[in-house]
Structures are given as C-alpha cells and as structure tokens.
Amino acid sequence: FHCSFDIPESIFFMPGLFDAHVHFSSHSFFPLFLAHGVTAIREVGSTKKDIFLLRDKVNAGVVQGPRMFIAGPILEGYPPFWKGFHVVQNRSEGRSAVKELKRKGADFIKVFHTLKPEVYLVILDEAHKQALKVIGHLPKSINVVEAIKMGHDGFEHMHDINKHLDTIISENAHLKNYPEQRRFIDIGMDKAKLENY
C-alpha cells in the first residue's frame, strides 16, 4: 500500500490538553476549550444544578465538549462564602453530603475553609470510604501538615499552604525577592523542621 499525499509543514499533532482547574459556568465555553486543544477538564466546584447531567451528556457524546471530571458543589460551612454551594453544618450533614455526591457520580470531593474542623474530618473519612479523593481548602485551624496526615488528597491554591510554611522555610530562600505568590519559586526547605512539624 502506498499513500501519496502532501502534509503541509504547518500541520502537527499533539495529545489533547487537560485543564485541571475549571469553575464551570456555561457550556458556551465548550467550543473554546475544544478549539484550543483542551479535550478534558477537571471541574473543581460548580453551582450549576445540572452539572452531573451535563457531564454525562458530554462523556456520552450527546453534547460536544471536553471530557469532564467533576466535584459538583463545593462543601462549605455556615455562613456560606459562595452562593450556590452545599452548606454542611455538622458531622451528619457532612457524611450525608459525601454519600449524595457519590450517588450523583462525583469524581472527587471539594471542601472549603469555612467548614468546622470536626465536619471536615468526617468528610475526609466518608469520602475515603466511598473511594473518593478530597481536594480544596483547609479549615483555618488545621495546618497543611496535619491535613496531609489526616488524608487530605490535594491542594488547589498556594494560599492554603503558604500560611503554614513560614516556620520551615530556610533563611537562604530569599523570599523577599518574590512578591506575592512568586516568592515560592525558589524556596529552600529546612528538612529537620519539616520532619518535626
């Protein structure tokens, strides 16, 4: 078999891109994702009530868009920080919320810093029982090392981490050279302090 056609030099092939942090508001963005090579998205907190149905339609090919992995509504405490997310005020509500999200087909759970620590712990426990990872923000009274030991699976923003790093960053890190979040580009960690944190 011989194929004889010319491929223009400007054409190239690449794997589809994955946008790992999306807050979905409208499927009108789907053509933009696809036009720019984004063939999958990780939706980390939506207020849309039909997000699960839309995900299923996209993944089934009924609606054209990037493949979706979703958390659904963020679990947060009272008073709510964002309108439209799922408020959980006690352990029972936290456990029920995780079970409900699992039933709806959530791929993972997203938590917010407004949760009470005891509710956050129950969410971690139930999510792991349901084979779901927990990502997102930490309750203000829990530091990043404690959260990792408790089973927190992923952090979405540096501001969840940087407030707890001051005691374990070495003096040679020259942090003052980096304004705002850029100061974490060249940090040096004190291993002994980190191990004893």
Side-chain angles (χ1 to χ4, degrees):
F1 177 77
H2 177 71
C3 181
S4 59
F5 60 88
D6 295 327
I7 298 178
E9 292 181 14
S10 61
I11 292 180
F12 61 92
F13 296 94
M14 59 178 275
L17 300 174
F18 192 123
D19 190 333
H21 191 107
V22 172
H23 288 287
F24 181 79
S25 58
S26 169
H27 67 275
S28 63
F29 290 106
F30 283 172
L32 292 174
F33 280 121
L34 297 176
H36 290 86
V38 177
T39 59
I41 62 174
R42 181 170 167 266
E43 209 295 322
V44 293
S46 175
T47 58
K48 290 185 67 63
K49 296 185 184 301
D50 63 345
I51 188 70
F52 293 100
L53 178 61
L54 182 60
R55 184 271 313 269
D56 294 342
K57 286 182 176 180
V58 169
N59 292 350
V62 176
V63 173
Q64 189 175 20
R67 194 162 43 125
M68 300 172 70
F69 300 89
I70 62 174
I74 293 174
L75 302 184
E76 67 167 338
Y78 185 84
F81 190 84
W82 296 105
K83 183 179 180 181
F85 289 136
H86 191 142
V87 175
V88 288
Q89 299 187 65
N90 56 53
R91 292 180 179 92
S92 177
E93 289 179 1
R95 200 171 292 281
S96 294
V98 172
K99 289 178 180 177
E100 177 68 7
L101 287 171
K102 174 70 174 184
R103 186 190 66 76
K104 288 182 174 181
D107 296 299
F108 52 94
I109 301 295
K110 172 85 177 281
V111 294
F112 205 63
H113 71 263
T114 51
L115 288 170
K116 294 176 183 174
E118 63 270 20
V119 178
Y120 165 76
L121 284 172
V122 166
I123 289 170
L124 284 175
D125 178 66
E126 187 60 40
H128 292 153
K129 284 180 180 176
Q130 300 290 337
L132 294 170
K133 294 190 181 298
V134 177
I135 59 114
H137 307 247
L138 298 178
K140 294 176 183 176
S141 61
I142 296 177
N143 72 52
V144 64
V145 175
E146 290 171 339
I148 291 170
K149 290 177 180 177
M150 292 172 183
H152 193 94
D153 297 295
F155 303 94
E156 295 301 305
H157 305 283
M158 281 302 297
H159 62 71
D160 291 319
I161 299 172
N162 62 15
K163 64 183 176 181
H164 301 293
L165 288 182
D166 291 339
T167 59
I168 54 176
I169 294 174
S170 65
E171 293 180 6
N172 64 359
H174 306 298
L175 300 184
K176 292 181 181 178
N177 295 337
Y178 301 101
E180 299 300 329
Q181 302 299 335
R182 292 197 69 243
R183 67 194 184 110
F184 287 96
I185 293 174
D186 294 327
I187 63 172
M189 304 301 288
D190 186 321
K191 187 175 180 183
K193 286 184 179 179
L194 180 60
E195 288 174 350
N196 293 320
Y197 194 78

